[in-house]
Amino acid sequence: MNHFLAELRRRNVFRVAAAYLVVGWLTLQIVSLIEAPLGLPDWTDTLVIVLIGIAFPIALILAWAFEVTPDGVKLTAAVPEDQSIAGKTARRLDYVIAGGIVVLIGAIIWQQVARPQAATAPELAARAEAGEGASVAVLPFADMSPDSDQAYFADGISEEILNVLVRIPGLQVAGRTSSFAYRGQDQDLREIGNALDVSHVLEGSVRRSGTRLRITAQLIRSADGFHIWSETYDRELTDIFDIQDDIAGAVADELATSLGLDTGAVSVARTSDLAAYESFLHARQLFRERGQANLELAAAMLTETLARDPEYGPGWTLLAGVYGVMPYYRQGNNEAAPELRVRWNSLAIETARRAIAINPADAQAHAFLGSALAENWNWIEGLDMLDRAVALAPNDPDVLDTAAQILGKVGYAAEALELSEHAVALDPQGAIFRNTLGNLLALQGRFEEADAQFRAAKDIDPGLRFPYANLMWSRARAGDMAGTQSALTALLNRGHPAPADEDLIERFIAAQNLAEMQPLAAESRGFIRTLYALLASDMEYYFSQTPVEAADDRPSNWANFNPFWQTFRGEMYANARWKAWVRRGDLDDLWRARGFPPQCRPVGEDDFACDWPDE
């Protein structure tokens, strides 16, 4: 036995085994690094390990049977012992082993230094006090499909992962709009992370071919571009939900390791019907893009989704959102027939209630319901739903923006401004969020800041009509006739603002002075009359042309707190017609139930008074 062991040592079998293991380990490390960038299948690691294992005994047999000599490789038995150079070969193998051990130790040290360690409790407390914590942006996954026709599917996967991550306590997730603004941009991920103010960035790609999916994902640390985690999934399409959960879970676990998050058990509503899910993803993309045709198609696709799976809560939520915005995207104008508005509002309420019945914790459904109820002048229940939505999702910019819009409309300007500023901080590339913030700043009398937000909104999304309209009203409030006419022209290029005044608008734009505008205002049924009243700073003229008792509908636009009427300041609040409109809109009932806004107060049992904030 001793002779056999001595022969193993002489023939360098032990050294070959050690060198083989070191080289095999290095090979595995290289494969793990190049696997994701090269799009190799997720079984590549397993294949390499199997091959290394199979080759190991072969290497030992070759080391025993053969020897390297100056004349080439020969059978060991054929080499006289006095001519053997096994000693020199042994020294070379020792160098290989030593070098491999040095690399191994260096790699372990680098991983320990470069990879963040789990924070201790005092460190976590200090971070929380300093406002620091885990944060991540989910970029839109790239569509790598052969026909490049799966963008909606890739976006859907990204958004579903985002929806899982956003439910993890203590994890800040960048807003969807801001993250998706980097679609297709060949930009350093460190720069993106810095721009979005997040500590980590998740990116990936989707390749769909028939029923097969290949999804790659990698988590990068923004500070230095270090790849914390990466994975490739080659699965059947039916595994899509498991893949989404796997990615979100892996990201959460990695962040938990470095930042001490308690990920817990996060559940997301699913449908087991793949066709229903695909229809839902298509509809969500159309809803994001807006436009009359897109919204109508989205409603049809969601109807199909819910016919296949009536208990799929997110489908009902999204359908409520579609019906809620329908009136604002009619082709060529911003008005819909009253019967259509009533029908859409009723459907929005009905579908949102269905979504909440399925999932009482659905914040977005509460927000859509609150908005629809407010549109129907059910202020008390509407604001109650919005309060619940914000409590359920205090970091969801869509929810915050919806609540801010309604709260500002009914007088709670300071509360609304706080929510809006938070929404913009979470998702600064959301054009509609900027537009809302501009309105609320104007309501505070901060008009220059408001105009800056309107301009930012139209720069972010040049097709969004609302900031153009608000810039027009802002210019009119300031008495800037040329600016008003210019803004109205820009608005016309994005859809007609008021069909009722269609024959007057071109003449209004061409008018040289207020005297030429006045007869147009007298002929107007609303839009031009309002612009003229603002330009002329003549509130009494507007009220005299719109008697309270003659109005067919509750005066939603001007009975409420409109920011651009501040040109009239306290004169408007003291006007008896305005107070009559407020009562007709049931706002005083809301104030008594929820609490009066800071600028208003009850007077006796059935009256109220309001003052401008600076008075």
Side-chain angles (χ1 to χ4, degrees):
M1 184 65 180
N2 290 336
H3 174 72
F4 177 69
L5 293 175
E7 193 64 17
L8 287 175
R9 285 193 294 271
R10 188 185 75 80
R11 300 190 184 199
N12 294 319
V13 174
F14 292 129
R15 286 184 172 88
V16 168
Y20 185 93
L21 292 175
V22 169
V23 173
W25 177 83
L26 290 173
T27 302
L28 281 174
Q29 300 307 305
I30 293 171
V31 170
S32 66
L33 287 174
I34 67 174
E35 183 177 4
L38 294 181
L40 300 176
D42 54 2
W43 44 260
T44 302
D45 288 339
T46 302
L47 176 62
V48 173
I49 292 173
V50 170
L51 292 176
I52 291 174
I54 292 173
F56 182 62
I58 297 174
L60 298 184
I61 292 171
L62 293 174
W64 170 268
F66 294 94
E67 181 176 336
V68 178
T69 72
D71 298 324
V73 177
K74 296 181 179 181
L75 287 170
T76 303
V79 179
E81 192 168 339
D82 60 343
Q83 296 179 15
S84 174
I85 62 169
K88 292 182 179 179
T89 303
R91 285 191 294 274
R92 294 192 187 104
L93 288 172
D94 287 341
Y95 294 148
V96 172
I97 295 169
I101 292 174
V102 170
V103 173
L104 173 62
I105 295 173
I108 293 173
I109 294 174
W110 178 76
Q111 288 178 347
Q112 293 299 312
V113 173
R115 186 186 179 90
Q117 301 299 306
T120 63
E123 288 172 337
L124 290 173
R127 289 178 183 176
E129 185 176 352
E132 299 177 2
S135 55
V136 64
V138 181
L139 302 186
F141 279 30
D143 175 22
M144 305 296 288
S145 302
D147 296 329
S148 299
D149 59 349
Q150 297 296 309
Y152 78 95
F153 193 78
D155 282 1
I157 290 173
S158 307
E159 194 159 347
E160 291 299 293
I161 294 169
L162 188 152
N163 288 339
V164 175
L165 294 175
V166 79
R167 288 170 169 77
I168 297 175
L171 178 60
Q172 296 292 323
V173 182
R176 176 198 177 278
T177 308
S178 294
S179 295
F180 277 45
Y182 291 93
R183 180 195 307 279
Q185 294 190 21
D186 186 17
Q187 189 170 344
D188 191 317
L189 293 177
R190 291 172 294 183
E191 296 176 3
I192 294 177
N194 182 62
L196 295 175
D197 194 24
V198 293
S199 57
H200 301 80
V201 175
L202 178 70
E203 68 165 1
S205 65
V206 176
R207 180 183 176 87
R208 178 175 175 180
S209 181
T211 63
R212 293 291 297 175
L213 278 179
R214 169 175 287 184
I215 298 177
T216 65
Q218 51 186 351
L219 182 67
I220 294 94
R221 193 168 59 202
S222 303
D224 52 15
F226 178 75
H227 285 58
I228 295 178
W229 167 85
S230 65
E231 189 61 84
T232 299
Y233 303 84
D234 274 298
R235 307 273 185 85
E236 287 293 324
L237 184 60
T238 51
D239 295 332
I240 181 59
F241 304 120
D242 291 336
I243 297 173
Q244 291 170 357
D245 288 341
D246 286 349
I247 295 173
V251 170
D253 288 345
E254 292 296 334
L255 295 178
T257 299
S258 61
L259 292 159
L261 289 178
D262 180 13
T263 59
V266 179
S267 61
V268 178
R270 303 291 196 201
T271 175
S272 58
D273 190 315
L274 189 59
Y277 180 65
E278 284 208 70
S279 183
F280 169 79
L281 292 183
H282 270 296
R284 186 165 63 184
Q285 182 188 45
L286 294 167
F287 173 71
R288 297 285 189 189
E289 293 174 356
R290 296 294 203 267
Q292 180 181 345
N294 286 340
L295 292 172
E296 289 175 349
L297 181 55
M301 299 188 80
L302 288 169
T303 301
E304 177 185 345
T305 294
L306 296 168
R308 299 182 66 95
D309 187 351
E311 296 304 310
Y312 184 42
W316 290 108
T317 299
L318 184 59
L319 187 56
V322 170
Y323 285 134
V325 301
M326 278 277 201
Y328 304 103
Y329 291 92
R330 298 297 292 171
Q331 187 172 358
N333 62 71
N334 197 29
E335 296 180 1
E339 61 274 12
L340 275 178
R341 296 181 71 95
V342 171
R343 174 62 177 160
W344 289 327
N345 180 256
S346 175
L347 288 169
I349 292 173
E350 176 186 336
T351 51
R353 290 195 190 280
R354 181 69 181 271
I356 293 171
I358 294 172
N359 179 15
D362 189 336
Q364 190 66 74
H366 280 86
F368 286 148
L369 177 57
S371 179
L373 289 169
E375 182 71 20
N376 199 37
W377 299 86
N378 188 344
W379 299 114
I380 295 175
E381 185 184 2
L383 266 67
D384 180 56
M385 291 297 106
L386 291 169
D387 288 342
R388 293 187 193 181
V390 172
L392 287 167
N395 290 313
D396 185 326
D398 289 306
V399 168
L400 297 174
D401 182 74
T402 301
Q405 289 185 35
I406 303 302
L407 287 168
K409 184 177 182 181
V410 295
Y412 299 104
E415 184 181 351
L417 182 60
E418 183 177 350
L419 295 178
S420 182
E421 288 177 333
H422 188 32
V424 170
L426 290 167
D427 202 346
Q429 290 299 309
I432 194 66
F433 306 152
R434 296 275 188 175
N435 183 74
T436 300
L437 179 56
N439 272 320
L440 295 168
L441 288 168
L443 197 56
Q444 296 285 322
R446 296 158 61 179
F447 295 111
E448 290 186 6
E449 295 175 71
D451 285 358
Q453 293 298 329
F454 296 142
R455 286 191 292 270
K458 69 182 184 66
D459 289 343
I460 293 170
D461 184 359
L464 185 68
R465 57 184 295 139
F466 305 121
Y468 294 90
N470 284 328
L471 282 170
M472 176 191 67
W473 294 118
S474 181
R475 292 297 85 213
R477 179 211 64 81
D480 179 0
M481 188 170 68
T484 301
Q485 293 169 319
S486 175
L488 177 53
T489 301
L491 179 60
L492 283 173
N493 294 332
R494 286 154 185 84
H496 210 287
D501 285 346
E502 184 172 2
D503 56 334
L504 303 177
I505 289 181
E506 294 294 342
R507 293 159 59 192
F508 184 87
I509 291 174
Q512 299 295 311
N513 51 54
L514 290 174
E516 293 181 18
M517 289 181 173
Q518 198 279 331
L520 301 176
E523 189 179 344
S524 165
R525 284 177 282 171
F527 179 75
I528 295 300
R529 182 178 64 248
T530 304
L531 278 179
Y532 170 78
L534 285 172
L535 283 167
S537 193
D538 190 346
M539 181 195 64
E540 186 60 34
Y541 174 82
Y542 178 76
F543 278 116
S544 67
Q545 298 294 312
T546 313
V548 174
E549 62 276 7
D552 294 328
D553 299 311
R554 300 181 189 183
S556 61
N557 286 335
W558 306 113
N560 302 339
F561 290 81
N562 185 285
F564 306 114
W565 282 105
Q566 287 208 45
T567 188
F568 303 128
R569 297 199 171 285
E571 180 186 352
M572 179 176 176
Y573 279 1
N575 191 287
R577 292 187 182 89
W578 181 80
K579 294 184 69 174
W581 277 6
V582 169
R583 290 192 179 94
R584 191 172 186 200
D586 297 331
L587 286 187
D588 55 333
D589 291 338
L590 168 69
W591 295 342
R592 292 181 188 281
R594 192 178 191 270
F596 276 77
Q599 68 272 29
C600 297
R601 61 191 182 280
V603 176
E605 294 185 0
D606 58 357
D607 199 5
F608 65 92
C610 295
D611 302 303
W612 290 107
D614 59 351
E615 292 185 347

